[in-house]
Amino acid sequence: MAVVLVGLVLWSLLAWVGYVLVDPILGWVAASAGLLVDGGKDIATATGGNEIGIILDNLNVSGFLGQTIALLRVVLKPAIVVVWAIGALALIAAPVILRKIARLLDARRH
């Protein structure tokens, strides 16, 4: 039982760290994505690829990245909670399931 409790504490700590880091990481990605797209357009224009810069402007890549990051902000935190709950249930059920598997293997040996 102590192993299960330690596992639950570690699992919860890992989920909490992930939950807390979602916003800062997505903020960093949002800031970096805009810089990367602008840098890519500048490099393409400087090397003679004016068409690529025009295509990126027409595709509105920055808007698409912003929408994707907004979607991830909405989805990731509930997903972390769901994955944590599934893992916690698996940790709680593991001793019972392992005992049943051990009994089945013992029965097959005899």
Side-chain angles (χ1 to χ4, degrees):
M1 191 65 173
V3 173
V4 171
L5 288 176
V6 170
L8 280 173
V9 168
L10 292 175
W11 180 244
S12 297
L13 180 65
L14 179 67
W16 179 73
V17 167
Y19 191 88
V20 168
L21 290 178
V22 165
D23 286 332
I25 289 174
L26 286 178
W28 174 77
V29 168
S32 298
L35 293 174
L36 287 174
V37 170
D38 290 340
K41 281 194 252 182
D42 293 343
I43 291 173
T45 304
T47 58
N50 291 334
E51 296 85 19
I52 294 173
I54 294 169
I55 290 171
L56 287 177
D57 284 335
N58 289 338
L59 288 177
N60 194 13
V61 175
S62 298
F64 175 72
L65 289 173
Q67 290 174 350
T68 303
I69 291 169
L71 176 67
L72 287 175
R73 282 185 198 267
V74 171
V75 171
L76 280 179
K77 283 190 175 185
I80 289 171
V81 172
V82 168
V83 169
W84 171 81
I86 292 169
L89 288 174
L91 284 170
I92 292 169
V96 174
I97 293 170
L98 290 175
R99 267 188 245 124
K100 287 186 179 188
I101 290 173
R103 279 189 217 139
L104 286 173
L105 292 176
D106 282 344
R108 290 189 80 194
R109 271 192 223 151
H110 295 119

